């Protein structure tokens, strides 16, 4: 995403214009506004232990959201940058009750990337520990650098993944008012890092030899992988945006050791700065009203570095439509639609700034959504030139594409290209500056930057989730009133997670890090009715229905 710092007047005006404006585009979905957030929201996540949502702001504040059964939802400030030490907060992720954050500390000409975790204490406070801190490294402009933007854990909970974005627009020289003559990208940028989950106090130096031999680099060549998410097969994906030229925005399958092209390629297009001589005025993919053109970033660049020897780029996922697949012809400048042309785009219409990537990992949604991915578009749609009066910084915006919606992604692995392809469809429309999403059972929460939190309720898959390598598993007594005992075969002492769903697909209880094979479940605050108990390890998954009676 290009920026998250917006004028407060713009936020007030746009929120007033668009209040209660989000609507579903397919039957069976309901959408409700549950809370108006504080300005500058960046991420939203669910703490499964308490069942509460938390959201962050760019200034480092963290709010806890309370959604009562009766009455209006409300939020409460729980932590600030004084607590966790991150002044520009971007990433948020929970594993059980442990909160993981990432972001940056900017100064005029340098920045520090930071990853921390907060372990919940009985009194509601958290003990904050620095996982990773970078040395100060050269920035292009403190409000224009991407920095550390996304944090995630693998499903097994063994590794922390962190996205570090670009300091340049498209690999050009960015001196930051002369502070860094001749400088382009640096060793700490355009990478996905991977750290063992027990990492504490690591300091990353801005040194290419040390970085590339540290064992912490997972992948290279990502410009701004703001969101990463795992699907139901424990496959990692990330969205990425491509700057102010009319190059497609990307969805990538992230794999160890792969290079995703930046700054030599963006959205599967070659960066024109690679090929001297270059005349921006002859490039139909550059809008002359955009900041990059006005600031002179699209200039002839004979010194642009060649592709390093031995590097093979991994292409973005191909989108065959039927939505978010507009592109501008590189010869004529004409706006075309990929599926109408019988082709694909890699991966989304230019300037959508895809955010809020989530997957129905546990197959809790009913058809036609079951097991699929979803992604938001941050930017509002524009006209054929890419202009929209609703743009938070004047443009460019997605041309012709209406944008501002939630997309459904159907991914299919293609062995011929050793990559995924996808088809896309619209689920809901009318958001303004949506920045993140959280999917819990059959309910998705979408948060806007200076707008609302929206609750999207999908039809749920009512039944037993699919069984893979099933284990012996029993619930007795069943039905029960006050308590029951779950017994399963766990001779290898695998770490298990037990998740209890109600009949509508909502997660009502999670028990994590189970190693024993005998667990008592108490009724506690559960109401009478049908539930589904799912047991999952990294090797097997099984679920059984259980009935609570009076």
């Amino acid at each position: 995403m290009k920026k998250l710092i917006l004028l407060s007047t713009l936020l007030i005006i746009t929120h007033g214009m668009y209040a209660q404006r989000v609507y579903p585009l397919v039957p069976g979905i309901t959408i409700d506004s549950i809370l108006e957030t504080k300005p500058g929201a960046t991420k939203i996540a669910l703490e499964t232990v308490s069942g509460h949502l938390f959201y962050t702001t760019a200034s480092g504040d963290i709010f806890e959201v309370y959604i009562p059964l009766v009455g209006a939802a409300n939020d409460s400030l729980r932590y600030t940058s004084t607590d966790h030490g991150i002044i520009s907060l971007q990433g948020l992720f929970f594993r059980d009750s442990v909160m993981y954050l990432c972001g940056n500390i900017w100064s005029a000409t340098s920045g520090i990337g930071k990853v921390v975790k907060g372990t919940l204490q009985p009194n509601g406070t958290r003990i904050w520990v620095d996982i990773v801190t970078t040395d100060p490294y050269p920035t292009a402009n403190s409000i224009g650098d991407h920095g550390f933007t996304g944090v995630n854990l693998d499903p097994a909970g063994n590794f922390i993944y962190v996205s570090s974005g670009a300091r340049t627009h498209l690999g050009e020289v960015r001196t930051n008012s002369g502070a860094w003559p001749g400088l382009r990208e640096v060793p700490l940028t355009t990478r996905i890092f991977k750290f063992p989950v027990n990492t504490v106090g690591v300091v990353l130096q801005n040194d290419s030899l040390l970085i590339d031999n540290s064992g912490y680099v997972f992948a290279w060549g990502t410009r701004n992988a703001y969101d990463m998410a795992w699907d139901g097969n424990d496959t990692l994906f990330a969205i990425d945006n491509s700057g102010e030229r009319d190059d497609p925005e990307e969805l990538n399958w992230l794999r160890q050791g792969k290079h995703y092209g930046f700054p030599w390629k963006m959205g599967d297009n070659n960066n024109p700065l690679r090929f001297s001589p270059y005349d921006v005025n002859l490039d139909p993919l550059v809008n002359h009203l955009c900041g990059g053109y006005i600031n002179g970033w699209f200039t002839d660049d004979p010194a642009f570095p060649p592709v390093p020897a031995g590097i093979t780029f991994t292409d973005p996922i191909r989108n065959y439509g039927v939505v978010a697949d507009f592109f501008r012809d590189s010869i004529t400048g004409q706006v075309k639609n990929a599926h109408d042309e019988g082709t694909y785009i890699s991966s989304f219409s230019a300037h959508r700034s895809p955010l809020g990537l989530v997957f129905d990992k546990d197959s809790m949604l009913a058809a036609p959504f079951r097991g699929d991915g979803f992604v938001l578009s941050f930017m509002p749609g524009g006209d054929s030139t890419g202009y929209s009066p609703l743009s938070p910084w004047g443009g460019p915006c997605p041309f012709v594409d209406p944008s501002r919606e939630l997309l459904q992604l159907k991914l299919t692995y293609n062995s011929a290209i050793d990559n995924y392809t996808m088809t896309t469809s619209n689920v809901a429309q009318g958001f303004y500056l949506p920045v993140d999403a959280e999917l819990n059972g059959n309910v998705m929460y979408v948060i806007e930057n200076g707008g609302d939190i929206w609750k999207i309720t999908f039809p749920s898959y009512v039944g037993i989730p699919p069984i893979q390598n099933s284990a012996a598993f029993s619930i007795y007594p069943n039905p029960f009133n006050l308590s029951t005992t779950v017994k399963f075969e766990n001779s290898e002492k695998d770490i298990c997670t037990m998740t209890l769903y109600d009949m509508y697909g909502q997660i009502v209880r999670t028990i994590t890090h189970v190693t024993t094979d005998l667990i008592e479940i108490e009724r506690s605050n559960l109401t009478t009715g049908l539930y589904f108990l799912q047991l999952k390890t990294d090797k097997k998954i099984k679920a059984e229905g259980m009935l609570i009676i009076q």
Side-chain angles (χ1 to χ4, degrees), residues 17-28:
M17 287 171 59
Y18 289 95
Q20 304 302 320
R21 78 279 181 190
V22 179
Y23 54 93
L25 295 170
V26 293

Side-chain angles (χ1 to χ4, degrees), residues 197-508:
V197 73
N198 58 356
T199 299
V200 174
V202 164
V203 177
L204 286 181
Q205 299 182 47
N206 189 40
D207 181 287
S208 59
L209 184 62
L210 294 177
I211 287 291
D212 292 342
N213 289 283
S214 66
Y216 295 137
V217 179
F218 179 71
W220 288 263
T222 51
R223 181 179 180 272
N224 184 24
Y226 197 82
D227 268 332
M228 297 174 282
W230 303 83
D231 73 356
N233 295 317
D234 295 346
T235 303
L236 182 61
F237 296 89
I239 48 83
D240 204 340
N241 70 351
S242 296
E244 293 192 355
R245 190 171 184 264
D246 292 344
D247 299 308
E249 314 279 66
E250 300 179 7
L251 174 66
N252 289 301
W253 172 20
L254 292 185
R255 289 175 278 179
Q256 180 83 43
K258 299 293 186 179
H259 196 294
Y260 293 87
F262 185 84
W264 296 278
K265 297 186 74 172
M266 286 167 281
D268 204 23
N269 288 348
N270 283 313
N271 185 344
L273 268 63
R274 296 171 54 185
F275 309 104
S276 183
Y278 169 66
D279 185 349
V280 66
N281 295 304
L282 301 179
D283 188 345
L285 272 63
V286 177
N287 188 324
H288 291 188
L289 298 177
C290 76
Y293 179 87
I294 295 170
N295 292 322
W297 298 339
F298 295 97
T299 58
D300 186 37
D301 193 350
F304 196 90
V307 177
I311 293 294
T312 301
F313 298 135
T314 299
D315 292 336
I317 290 171
R318 300 174 180 180
N319 175 15
Y320 286 89
V322 295
V323 296
D325 60 341
F326 291 93
F327 66 96
R328 193 179 299 279
D329 189 286
S330 61
I331 304 299
T332 66
Q334 179 184 356
V335 175
K336 297 181 178 180
N337 184 274
H339 74 270
D340 286 344
E341 298 290 322
T343 185
Y344 60 85
I345 184 174
S346 302
S347 304
F348 305 111
S349 306
H351 313 303
R352 288 176 64 95
S353 291
L355 294 173
L357 179 67
V358 294
F359 288 90
D360 178 26
K361 294 185 294 185
D362 296 320
S363 295
M364 294 304 299
L365 304 185
F369 310 107
R370 193 165 182 232
D372 286 348
F374 300 87
V375 72
L376 298 158
S377 56
F378 175 73
M379 292 291 286
D383 61 18
S384 61
T385 70
Y387 169 78
S388 168
L390 303 179
S391 170
W393 43 80
C397 289
F399 37 79
V400 181
D401 189 335
S403 197
R404 294 199 296 132
E405 81 271 89
L406 176 69
L407 296 183
Q408 178 184 355
L409 314 175
K410 285 191 173 293
L411 296 170
T412 304
Y413 176 72
N414 185 330
S415 59
I417 60 174
D418 188 27
N419 206 339
Y420 286 83
T421 63
M422 68 177 170
T423 57
T424 52
S425 57
N426 283 328
V427 175
Q429 197 158 30
F431 300 101
Y432 188 70
L433 306 183
V435 288
D436 201 21
E438 175 81 329
L439 184 60
N440 177 35
N442 69 317
V443 174
M444 182 184 296
Y445 297 96
V446 173
I447 189 168
E448 299 171 316
N449 179 244
D452 291 1
I453 295 176
W454 298 89
K455 178 183 178 182
I456 305 176
T457 305
F458 290 83
S460 63
Y461 174 71
V462 180
I464 298 176
I467 299 174
Q468 303 168 1
N469 302 324
S470 76
F473 181 74
S474 65
I475 303 171
Y476 184 83
N478 186 22
F480 70 94
N481 181 2
L482 298 178
S483 67
T484 190
T485 299
V486 179
K487 185 177 181 179
F488 58 99
E489 183 179 296
N490 192 21
S491 58
E492 297 178 1
K493 300 301 179 184
D494 292 328
I495 297 176
C496 309
T497 297
M498 302 183 73
T499 307
L500 187 62
Y501 300 89
D502 65 19
M503 65 181 297
Y504 302 105
Q506 296 268 30
I507 296 176
V508 295

Side-chain angles (χ1 to χ4, degrees), residues 115-137:
V115 184
V116 305
K117 70 176 178 181
T119 303
L120 187 64
Q121 303 302 297
N123 63 359
T125 63
R126 292 183 183 271
I127 295 178
W128 300 96
V129 175
D130 289 352
I131 298 173
V132 178
T133 304
T134 71
D135 277 347
Y137 67 91

